[in-house]
Amino acid sequence: MLEKAVEFVKDKMCDFKPQVGIILGSGLGELADEYSKFSIDYKDIPGFEASTVAGHKGKLVFAEINGKNVVMMQGRFHFYEGHSIQKVVFPIKVMKKLGVETLIITNAAGGVNASFNPSDLMVITDHINFMGQNPLVGKNDDSMGTRFPDMSEVYTPEYVELVKKTGKEVGIDLQEGVYMALTGPSYETPSEVRMARTLGADAVGMSTVPEAMVASWAGMKVIGISCICNSAAGVSTVGLSHEEVIKAANKAKDKFKILVKEVIKKL
Ligand code: HPA
């Protein structure tokens, strides 16, 4: 299936060669609309499926941004949609085979760190996989990565520094911290958020970790950026809703776009 998907996409790309991959999280898909050169609907790609989440489209979008050839996922596959963890990471393997060297993963997340505010952007320095799933379980494809991959630097340290430096240069205040992934789709209870904080998390969310693990395994450089869309349960006294998350992402999307574009320029 992977070979089929790669062949299908390569055929549509003609001589376009993507160097950078971006996964656009909830409410952050505008970058793709703005720069799109051409796109392919997920439903047409072997092994992909249509996206089911509000705020997520289902397209691979190809573009040139600041001199770099980029392939963007406008919409991703979430484990909570009922997809297998293999399905969630399938597009990352496709990107690797297309020649993508650097993957920028973005998401909407809940702020666990009490000093974070809604619409803050957080550079991910590390993650905690609390999904109870590891996308690398199963037969190992030795052509892509090793059986027992090192996960000590999933988020490429020099790129964490690059993102922070870029934020300073363009006047965007950035938070940094550890992202914990849970399966969702329910938001956390206040006790679970307390647990996340105790275990060292600064933000919680329902994505990113499987994709980052596979990208790291496959030798890609990884950048993770969370849009802190709400204070996670118990940090704030109000209840959570997906609408609130999308609203905060919308508020952050302009600075998010500026940051990502500037980072791409420097890769
Ligand atoms: N928890 C988990 N995922 C999220 C949240 C949250 O509070 N906000 C946005 N995605």
Side-chain angles (χ1 to χ4, degrees):
M1 194 53 97
L2 181 59
E3 242 73 290
K4 267 194 191 151
V6 172
E7 233 167 75
F8 180 88
V9 175
K10 271 191 174 160
D11 192 49
K12 301 266 184 248
M13 287 197 314
C14 298
D15 55 1
F16 185 92
K17 292 209 168 35
Q19 309 152 268
V20 180
I22 310 179
I23 306 177
L24 295 166
S26 292
L28 303 173
E30 229 179 63
L31 196 67
D33 290 329
E34 237 169 70
Y35 282 88
S36 177
K37 230 178 179 159
F38 61 97
S39 65
I40 311 175
D41 287 344
Y42 288 169
K43 64 175 171 35
D44 296 331
I45 307 174
F48 278 57
E49 270 170 53
S51 176
T52 66
V53 189
H56 281 269
K57 292 185 184 162
K59 280 194 290 190
L60 267 191
V61 178
F62 299 82
E64 190 192 316
I65 301 179
N66 279 339
K68 302 274 181 352
N69 282 344
V70 177
V71 54
M72 288 175 270
M73 289 182 67
Q74 204 177 27
R76 54 150 60 89
F77 304 122
H78 300 88
F79 185 66
Y80 65 70
E81 292 175 89
H83 298 304
S84 69
I85 201 72
Q86 292 306 329
K87 178 77 73 183
V88 171
V89 298
F90 185 74
I92 312 308
K93 295 180 182 174
V94 172
M95 284 193 197
K96 173 70 186 177
K97 295 266 186 199
L98 295 177
V100 168
E101 292 154 7
T102 304
L103 182 64
I104 303 176
I105 311 179
T106 71
N107 61 54
V112 169
N113 187 320
S115 70
F116 290 1
N117 292 305
S119 301
D120 276 355
L121 298 179
M122 180 188 91
V123 191
I124 303 177
T125 53
D126 198 4
H127 71 226
I128 300 172
N129 182 6
F130 216 77
M131 281 186 151
Q133 300 284 325
N134 188 315
L136 300 171
V137 166
K139 192 172 177 310
N140 191 61
D141 181 348
D142 296 331
S143 72
M144 273 216 201
T146 176
R147 171 77 288 187
F148 300 108
D150 179 29
M151 290 282 142
S152 55
E153 291 185 343
V154 174
Y155 303 88
T156 311
E158 65 178 288
Y159 284 178
V160 169
E161 290 310 312
L162 180 98
V163 175
K164 283 161 61 176
K165 191 165 155 261
T166 306
K168 279 210 183 86
E169 282 168 12
V170 295
I172 295 170
D173 285 332
L174 293 177
Q175 307 284 7
E176 64 178 282
V178 175
Y179 175 94
M180 178 188 273
L182 300 94
T183 64
S186 47
Y187 292 115
E188 301 70 33
T189 64
S191 299
E192 286 164 348
V193 172
R194 221 162 31 243
M195 171 198 74
R197 187 180 306 113
T198 304
L199 295 181
D202 296 290
V204 281
M206 308 173 190
S207 66
T208 300
V209 165
E211 297 107 309
M213 289 176 73
V214 167
S216 175
W217 164 73
M220 294 158 96
K221 303 227 189 256
V222 178
I223 293 171
I225 301 171
S226 291
C227 172
I228 304 297
C229 289
N230 54 278
S231 298
V235 179
S236 94
T237 47
V238 294
L240 300 181
S241 69
H242 186 58
E243 289 68 37
E244 178 194 354
V245 168
I246 296 294
K247 228 164 126 184
N250 268 324
K251 229 179 107 187
K253 72 183 177 201
D254 288 335
K255 63 179 175 180
F256 166 81
K257 279 193 292 186
I258 293 169
L259 181 70
V260 171
K261 282 189 282 193
E262 284 301 309
V263 167
I264 289 173
K265 200 193 275 179
K266 296 198 170 96
L267 290 177

